[in-house]
Amino acid sequence: MLDGSGAGVRLSTRVPALYCPSMSTVFFILAIASAAAVLATLAAGLVGMARNGPFNARYGNTLMRARVVLQGLAIAFFALALWTSG
């Protein structure tokens, strides 16, 4: 309640970070695992594209879509690890 004197109740708009060390570790491990999956998917796509055979014709586009999804997961897990680390 404000009485005109400027001494009122101020509400904090800052959302506190969720501090949980064990969840931070889990999210960090998931971020590393998904980054490794991104690297493996990228390598498979590049090798298939370099050989330019039936593998690339069949799986090239699918591998690149999977890489984009895995990159998004890696970024999300990394952000969650940072958010839960406090």
Side-chain angles (χ1 to χ4, degrees):
M1 179 168 26
L2 295 175
D3 58 3
S5 65
V9 177
R10 292 188 178 216
L11 298 176
S12 175
T13 59
R14 183 171 180 243
V15 177
L18 178 66
Y19 179 69
C20 184
S22 60
M23 286 306 293
S24 177
T25 304
V26 168
F27 286 135
F28 185 72
I29 291 170
L30 287 173
I32 296 296
S34 57
V38 167
L39 185 62
T41 306
L42 178 64
L46 287 175
V47 169
M49 189 171 56
R51 290 188 179 178
N52 200 14
F55 178 82
N56 185 41
R58 185 167 182 173
Y59 297 111
N61 199 16
T62 304
L63 284 171
M64 291 304 121
R65 286 183 192 165
R67 179 187 54 84
V68 170
V69 170
L70 289 169
Q71 281 177 330
L73 283 173
I75 291 170
F77 287 140
F78 184 69
L80 285 170
L82 287 177
W83 189 52
T84 56
S85 68

